[in-house]
Amino acid sequence: MAAFTSINDPSVYFNTVLYTGTGSSQSITGVGFAPDLVWAKQRNGTNAHMVADTVRGADNKINPNQNYANDTNAVSLTAFGADGFTGGGNTEMNGSSLTYAAWNWIAGTTSGITGGGITPNGYSINTTTGIGIFEYTGSSSTSNIAHGLGVVPQMIIIKSLTTTNDWTCYHEAMGNDKFLTLNTSGQETTDATTWDSTSPTSTLWYMGDSGDVNNSARDYMAYVFANVKGYSRFGEYIGNADVDGPTIYTGFRPAWVMIKGYDASALSWYLWDSKRLGYNPDNNVLYPNGANAESTTDQIHLLSNGFKFITTDSEINGSGTKYIYAAFAEAPFVNSSGVPVNAR
């Protein structure tokens, strides 16, 4: 009988670190690995979200809650390290006495991908954890890119580096003719020119000629994710407008959960992790499409095998509303030896 998961310790591949800024160069450690993707947000104030990755290199940032182009910034994330990263004095990630959360992923493989209509300018992938980080130049015509993951991706997030286009999100639950924007609260948009009405395969993802994802005069970043049993899951749920809200099974105790209502307007993205504050029901929320400080409103329980909502808030649990989610594990529900994880 096959093991439930091959990843007994998800923190080797994804980890959250909390820290206080200094206003000058600071080494942030405790990640547990050399990260290839870092997403940081101030907790106690309204500085923007910030994303950096090893494909673009240190000193380059983009902001999930804004449509700005890539910013080469020598005082933002200034170096990637063996156990974390170095922050400069930029207030988006290291302002004096400001508190932060940073979410970190490892990829690592930077060669070996072949095929596809567009060849990435650079990439880093991990077939064990189903993550791919790609930088590419668009073609302005229907095309595709080889992702190298060996399985079908469930979520793709793309941002133009050279223009002020929105962050464009594919999610399997919505289908191949719709997208969401990470930096807005807007509902799904139907558009065949974004994903060419073609779902990703185990080798390729597809794009039409939409300027948000595939213009020949623009460079883009793409973050590609696939389900990995016991480690990551990308799915959907339907709200019930009850304090005894829906329970979503993931197959692991979550370390990180992001959700968005997609079939109704003006619903924000929500993001929780298991470190802030770290026990039920006190799981503080941040908003990927907004610069808001974190909220302490109790809305979610992180369970041994998934998560459950405990609110009637329509942005999270509206009656009949459909929501997508992305989640990464703190611990698998059952490890490779058949031992179940404890609840929080």
Side-chain angles (χ1 to χ4, degrees):
M1 182 177 178
F4 180 82
T5 183
S6 61
I7 300 177
N8 288 328
D9 183 5
S11 69
V12 173
Y13 302 102
F14 170 82
N15 203 6
T16 301
V17 293
L18 308 179
Y19 63 96
T20 299
T22 62
S24 59
S25 182
Q26 177 184 199
S27 178
I28 310 301
T29 59
V31 172
F33 52 82
D36 291 291
L37 173 60
V38 177
W39 178 348
K41 173 65 178 82
Q42 183 194 2
R43 301 172 59 192
N44 62 345
T46 59
N47 281 297
H49 293 254
M50 189 284 302
V51 165
D53 57 71
T54 55
V55 175
R56 283 176 296 144
D59 296 337
N60 286 278
K61 70 180 182 70
I62 41 181
N63 304 103
N65 61 296
Q66 298 167 331
N67 65 1
Y68 300 162
N70 182 78
D71 179 16
T72 301
N73 190 310
V75 292
S76 186
L77 189 152
T78 60
F80 293 92
D83 187 32
F85 54 90
T86 300
N90 185 289
T91 55
E92 289 176 1
M93 72 174 311
N94 191 30
S96 178
S97 300
L98 306 183
T99 59
Y100 296 87
W103 307 292
N104 304 269
W105 291 261
I106 191 172
T109 302
T110 57
S111 63
I113 291 180
T114 59
I118 295 174
T119 300
N121 302 322
Y123 62 87
S124 184
I125 67 169
N126 191 312
T127 56
T128 299
T129 60
I131 181 175
I133 304 167
F134 301 85
E135 193 272 330
Y136 67 94
T137 302
S139 67
S140 292
S141 61
T142 298
S143 195
N144 52 60
I145 296 179
H147 54 71
L149 298 180
V151 293
V152 177
Q154 278 71 46
M155 190 168 188
I156 302 170
I157 304 173
I158 296 177
K159 175 68 183 79
S160 167
L161 297 176
T162 48
T163 57
T164 56
N165 290 70
D166 290 330
W167 292 67
T168 304
C169 302
Y170 166 87
H171 196 288
E172 184 179 66
M174 297 188 300
N176 59 34
D177 61 350
K178 294 181 172 64
F179 67 87
L180 286 169
T181 53
L182 182 63
N183 56 293
T184 79
S185 62
Q187 69 187 90
E188 63 185 358
T189 298
T190 300
D191 178 27
T193 68
T194 302
W195 313 117
D196 194 33
S197 297
T198 306
S199 299
T201 69
S202 60
T203 57
L204 301 169
W205 93 81
Y206 295 83
M207 300 174 295
D209 60 0
S210 166
D212 287 334
V213 299
N214 190 22
N215 185 288
S216 61
R218 300 172 189 172
D219 295 330
Y220 298 88
M221 286 306 301
Y223 304 108
V224 180
F225 302 96
N227 287 336
V228 175
K229 192 174 184 180
Y231 171 76
S232 62
R233 190 168 180 87
F234 306 87
E236 70 174 324
Y237 68 92
I238 298 174
N240 64 9
D242 196 302
V243 291
D244 184 15
T247 298
I248 294 86
Y249 175 82
T250 60
F252 50 79
R253 186 174 67 209
W256 190 93
V257 175
M258 182 172 70
I259 68 102
K260 170 74 171 76
Y262 68 84
D263 66 345
S265 61
L267 302 180
S268 291
W269 294 78
Y270 280 62
L271 193 163
W272 300 268
D273 63 62
S274 61
K275 300 288 182 68
R276 302 171 299 116
L277 291 165
Y279 50 89
N280 292 327
D282 290 310
N283 298 294
N284 294 350
V285 65
L286 286 163
Y287 308 93
N289 63 292
N292 314 55
E294 69 180 1
S295 170
T296 60
T297 304
D298 297 338
Q299 298 165 314
I300 190 173
H301 282 175
L302 302 181
L303 310 174
S304 61
N305 61 355
F307 55 96
K308 178 181 177 62
F309 293 105
I310 54 170
T311 178
T312 61
D313 186 341
S314 62
E315 292 208 287
I316 301 167
N317 188 24
S319 178
T321 301
K322 295 179 180 179
Y323 301 82
I324 59 165
Y325 70 84
F328 292 89
E330 183 176 64
F333 184 43
V334 179
N335 70 19
S336 61
S337 299
V339 179
V341 68
N342 293 326
R344 301 179 80 207

